[in-house]
Amino acid sequence: MTKFEALGLQESLLNAVADMGFETPSEVQEKAIPILLEDETDLVALAQTGTGKTAAFGFPLIQKIDSESRTTQGLILSPTRELCLQITNELKLYSKYEKSINVVAIYGGASITEQARQIKRGAQIVVATPGRMKDMISRGLVNITKIDYCILDEADEMLNMGFFEDIKDILSNTPDEKSTWLFSATMPREVSVIAKKFMHSPKEITVGDKNSGATTVQHEYYVVGGRDRYPALKRLADTNPDIFSVVFCRTKRDTQRVAEKLIEDGYNAGALHGDLSQNQRDLVMNSFRKKQIQMLVATDVAARGIDVDDITHVINYQLPDEIETYTHRSGRTGRAGKSGISMVIVTRSEMRKIKAIENKIKQKFISKKIPTGMEICEIQLYHLANKIKDTEIHEEVENFLPAINDVFQGIDREDLIKKIVSVEFTRFYDYYNKKRDLNTVDSGDRGERRGDRGGNAPTSGSVRYFVNVGEKDGYDWMSLKDFIRDTVGLGKEDVFKVDVKDSFSFFNTDADATEKILSTFTDFKVDGRFVNVEVSKNPGGGGGRGRRDRSRSGGGRKDRDRRSSSGKGRDRNDSGKRRSKRSSGSGSSFSGNRRNKRKSDFF
Ligand code: ADP
Ligand code: MG
């Protein structure tokens, strides 16, 4: 008897298991499958990503479904379109020897009528993203009032992405007597709230360490020259306008110096180290908690007591001497089930240390490039545009409007937008315009295509795009790559250099795919939101520098002077108290006609 047989799976499923090449059940499968087959019970299962959770609920679900009936009996909620499709495909493989089990995926960004049609044909199992599911329920396109099983997959991720209300709504449409199976990598408070609220004395299984947040932290390194640490740090901050971070230095002196420089350059920074009085340290920590300080520069010893949950980035300005210390540093982010990024600025000679850390933490680092000046400009512009869009209008503004309108008289909307965003763009552009690439030669070029770096020819066969979705929308580089490839219908290697930021991303394709890409993403919506793809102004994709448009740099010096003088003057004294000088940037792409015309004239 194989180990899978011992779990109680029926013949047809065992055949499918064999076809899939699964030999031994994973731990979560071994624990969950017998429970789910034997009892009608609620279950909370905690296991890290990649431990085979899909099969742990998939096999029991299929075995329990009545395939004679067309009624929808099982609902699986999952955070992203990619996961929905993945689960659906897996379930189809598991059920290949069942007579007539239909599994239908429901997710945003694809035709709702087509999905409704598939449901109507009879789907015993529905795999859905919460947003689209809610939509379909409210339109009466799906009926989940008779389900026996509801599975919340990647529950922590769904809650992270803000689906709590949607899930609540969806569950209110399901019968009380169903069984609910919750699968999650971590158990943050929000997940236990769901478990308490919607489940009846669930059984609990845990694989590995319950509170281990290891996989929620992504580790990245950036190779630069020894003297470029500070400019590299600035670029990392400029690439992440909403950064909330701890920057680790090795000595008290470096800590103080880096913090001072950041403050001088207009960032919301503060220093935390042992030479400060207790009172000073309390002040700094209070400002940090209130997010008045976005970049807390600290020594390892001083940072020990930091108990702040939402830290987005840990930046290793220098690597620590002890490998063990790295674990403590990176553990400051990715807490409470949130994801985080630990960035390391290294020189080539320190690369050995990266390997040693990888062995220690049993996780791979991703080799990243310090963004080029133009990438930063683009990011900042987009951030500014979003900020303008989300700004609440102050009612007092009304009183001044007549006079303001006089000033803007005769300027049309498009020009006005261009002018508004140029206020910031010019500042960043002038600052970064003449700055060189900080990446050391042949550093981290893994996977890079030859020809992309062609000095004067900005595109040389490869086109870089900007897309307005990112981590916030649940993408990482792999899933975004898949999404673009699948949506446009491209081949396996056609999308490359995918770089996912918080709320937007970049990627490359060969030039001959550009038309297809742009036409696919015209008026294209996912979960009710427009997904917009533009040709990026920065064709190299993190690597190349190219031509500059001289006519654009007129007036540059004046603005740069203004930037530095204001940085050194007003901002210096009241470090943590005021918002940063660098607010943000403006969009690359406000009018469609700029798309191609401007593609190459910045560089
Ligand atoms: P999780 O949901 O926990 O992140 P998945 O269910 O997506 O993990 O499974 C990860 C990968 O492992 C999939 O490719 C799956 O086919 C494979 N897998 C699952 N169970 C087994 C098993 N018992 N033996 C071998 N491979 C498995
Ligand atoms: Mg999974």
Side-chain angles (χ1 to χ4, degrees):
M1 188 150 87
T2 71
K3 280 197 155 183
F4 270 104
E5 274 173 69
L7 302 180
L9 292 175
Q10 66 201 23
E11 180 89 32
S12 51
L13 292 178
L14 291 173
N15 291 335
V17 166
D19 285 358
M20 297 198 62
F22 294 180
E23 288 178 358
T24 31
S26 69
E27 193 180 343
V28 67
Q29 292 163 2
E30 199 160 15
K31 287 181 170 166
I33 292 174
I35 297 179
L36 296 177
L37 286 177
E38 269 161 39
D39 298 331
E40 291 303 323
T41 178
D42 285 359
L43 176 80
V44 172
L46 299 181
Q48 295 293 336
T49 312
T51 51
K53 293 192 286 295
T54 317
F57 62 76
F59 282 118
L61 180 66
I62 291 166
Q63 184 152 332
K64 291 188 142 191
I65 291 291
D66 175 6
S67 57
E68 310 275 274
S69 157
R70 308 267 79 194
T71 311
T72 299
Q73 301 158 53
L75 169 66
I76 300 164
L77 292 177
S78 137
T80 64
R81 163 197 168 112
E82 281 66 40
L83 282 169
C84 268
L85 289 169
Q86 218 171 298
I87 295 167
T88 308
N89 287 336
E90 289 262 318
L91 293 191
K92 283 182 176 160
L93 291 174
Y94 303 165
S95 62
K96 66 194 262 202
Y97 297 114
E98 306 306 316
K99 270 186 282 339
S100 50
I101 291 216
N102 285 325
V103 187
V104 172
I106 284 182
Y107 50 84
S111 158
I112 197 165
T113 17
E114 173 51 30
Q115 289 172 1
R117 210 181 349 254
Q118 290 184 30
I119 296 280
K120 218 166 165 199
R121 274 189 235 134
Q124 293 100 337
I125 300 175
V126 173
V127 188
T129 52
R132 175 55 69 95
M133 188 66 200
K134 207 182 128 190
D135 203 5
M136 291 191 72
I137 294 173
S138 66
R139 296 204 214 172
L141 298 176
V142 62
N143 180 356
I144 51 167
T145 58
K146 300 211 174 65
I147 61 168
D148 301 307
Y149 306 100
C150 178
I151 292 131
L152 305 173
D153 189 33
E154 312 263 357
D156 51 354
E157 273 303 308
M158 284 199 284
L159 295 169
N160 251 349
M161 289 169 66
F163 282 133
F164 182 79
E165 290 299 323
D166 285 351
I167 292 173
K168 218 168 73 180
D169 266 25
I170 293 165
L171 292 179
S172 72
N173 284 281
T174 61
D176 274 343
E177 55 277 12
K178 68 180 180 301
S179 298
T180 305
W181 307 341
L182 184 152
F183 285 78
S184 187
T186 59
M187 188 75 178
R189 203 171 335 114
E190 296 89 337
V191 175
S192 26
V193 168
I194 288 265
K196 280 215 185 69
K197 219 175 154 90
F198 299 105
M199 301 172 77
H200 307 294
S201 38
K203 295 203 167 148
E204 198 177 306
I205 57 177
T206 303
V207 171
D209 176 9
K210 194 173 188 165
N211 291 316
S212 147
T215 56
T216 60
V217 178
Q218 176 168 311
H219 302 266
E220 305 175 345
Y221 69 83
Y222 298 80
V223 185
V224 300
R227 290 192 190 163
D228 285 334
R229 279 187 208 274
Y230 182 72
L233 173 65
K234 269 176 59 140
R235 288 194 189 191
L236 293 176
D238 285 343
T239 320
N240 296 283
D242 293 322
I243 196 167
F244 183 52
S245 61
V246 183
V247 179
F248 284 97
C249 296
R250 228 175 350 214
T251 64
K252 291 181 217 170
R253 208 170 130 257
D254 285 344
T255 303
Q256 184 64 31
R257 199 177 48 93
V258 169
E260 273 173 14
K261 283 194 82 159
L262 285 171
I263 292 165
E264 197 169 302
D265 286 337
Y267 297 86
N268 298 317
L272 192 71
H273 56 73
D275 284 352
L276 303 174
S277 70
Q278 185 60 45
N279 192 32
Q280 285 172 312
R281 272 186 290 187
D282 288 348
L283 282 175
V284 171
M285 276 313 294
N286 281 338
S287 310
F288 186 55
R289 273 197 199 93
K290 289 190 207 139
K291 305 208 171 151
Q292 288 157 344
I293 288 177
Q294 286 182 283
M295 301 178 80
L296 180 67
V297 190
T299 57
D300 289 297
V301 177
R304 227 167 249 168
I306 297 178
D307 55 343
V308 178
D309 270 349
D310 323 324
I311 292 167
T312 58
H313 295 77
V314 162
I315 303 180
N316 294 264
Y317 185 78
Q318 296 141 336
L319 275 175
D321 291 325
E322 306 276 326
I323 294 177
E324 187 64 36
T325 310
Y326 178 82
T327 322
H328 290 298
R329 288 183 176 186
S330 59
R332 297 284 141 226
T333 186
R335 286 157 68 94
K338 301 205 170 74
S339 60
I341 297 176
S342 174
M343 300 170 152
V344 182
I345 303 174
V346 283
T347 58
R348 294 211 69 72
S349 60
E350 294 173 307
M351 282 303 296
R352 294 171 292 115
K353 287 194 182 173
I354 295 289
K355 285 268 159 296
I357 294 172
E358 282 182 338
N359 289 338
K360 171 87 191 167
I361 62 174
K362 300 201 169 51
Q363 234 179 304
K364 284 267 174 237
F365 272 81
I366 300 173
S367 156
K368 287 265 192 152
K369 300 208 152 194
I370 299 287
T372 61
M374 254 336 99
E375 268 180 314
I376 291 171
C377 289
E378 191 154 17
I379 286 164
Q380 290 284 343
L381 283 169
Y382 189 70
H383 186 74
L384 173 66
N386 268 316
K387 201 160 123 186
I388 293 175
K389 189 175 119 236
D390 297 338
T391 296
E392 276 189 38
I393 294 172
H394 196 294
E395 53 184 71
E396 286 295 312
V397 164
E398 199 69 44
N399 300 328
F400 302 97
L401 224 49
I404 299 292
N405 281 336
D406 280 349
V407 175
F408 291 140
Q409 205 184 12
I411 304 175
D412 67 19
R413 181 192 136 92
E414 205 159 286
D415 281 341
L416 191 58
I417 291 175
K418 285 181 195 164
K419 281 172 187 284
I420 290 172
V421 297
S422 293
V423 174
E424 282 293 322
F425 183 73
T426 306
R427 194 162 63 79
F428 275 96
Y429 181 76
D430 289 342
Y431 179 76
Y432 278 117
N433 184 18
K434 304 246 158 51
K435 295 275 192 282
R436 69 199 158 79
D437 187 350
L438 295 184
N439 298 290
T440 57
V441 191
D442 83 293
S443 70
D445 267 4
R446 295 178 189 172
E448 188 148 17
R449 293 196 171 190
R450 234 177 265 152
D452 281 346
R453 292 176 154 243
N456 276 343
T459 48
S460 61
S462 152
V463 176
R464 188 141 176 93
Y465 307 84
F466 167 92
V467 53
N468 64 336
V469 295
E471 271 170 28
K472 270 193 185 143
D473 308 282
Y475 290 101
D476 59 17
W477 68 270
M478 272 187 288
S479 59
L480 185 68
K481 186 175 178 157
D482 290 347
F483 166 63
I484 290 159
R485 213 181 45 203
D486 296 348
T487 309
V488 181
L490 296 171
K492 203 155 181 241
E493 303 298 329
D494 291 348
V495 179
F496 48 97
K497 283 199 195 166
V498 181
D499 197 3
V500 177
K501 308 283 183 208
D502 201 32
S503 51
F504 45 84
S505 311
F506 297 98
F507 63 93
N508 281 33
T509 70
D510 283 339
D512 52 16
T514 303
E515 211 178 298
K516 216 169 157 192
I517 296 259
L518 295 180
S519 64
T520 306
F521 288 102
T522 302
D523 290 332
F524 186 88
K525 279 190 183 179
V526 172
D527 287 330
R529 199 184 131 194
F530 278 107
V531 173
N532 189 27
V533 174
E534 301 272 339
V535 171
S536 167
K537 310 304 174 296
N538 178 20
R545 277 174 291 155
R547 263 186 276 141
R548 276 184 203 103
D549 178 355
R550 284 195 188 80
S551 67
R552 281 194 183 279
S553 44
R557 193 173 309 138
K558 203 168 81 206
D559 271 66
R560 185 164 58 243
D561 289 346
R562 197 184 316 140
R563 179 181 207 270
S564 58
S565 68
S566 67
K568 289 190 174 159
R570 272 181 295 129
D571 288 335
R572 173 154 55 175
N573 303 325
D574 43 6
S575 53
K577 293 280 192 204
R578 66 198 339 270
R579 297 296 306 167
S580 145
K581 271 299 292 162
R582 47 181 205 110
S583 15
S584 24
S586 49
S588 37
S589 47
F590 296 98
S591 53
N593 63 0
R594 282 174 51 178
R595 183 180 277 164
N596 296 317
K597 203 172 84 215
R598 287 272 219 89
K599 181 165 67 185
S600 58
D601 61 359
F602 280 152
F603 280 110

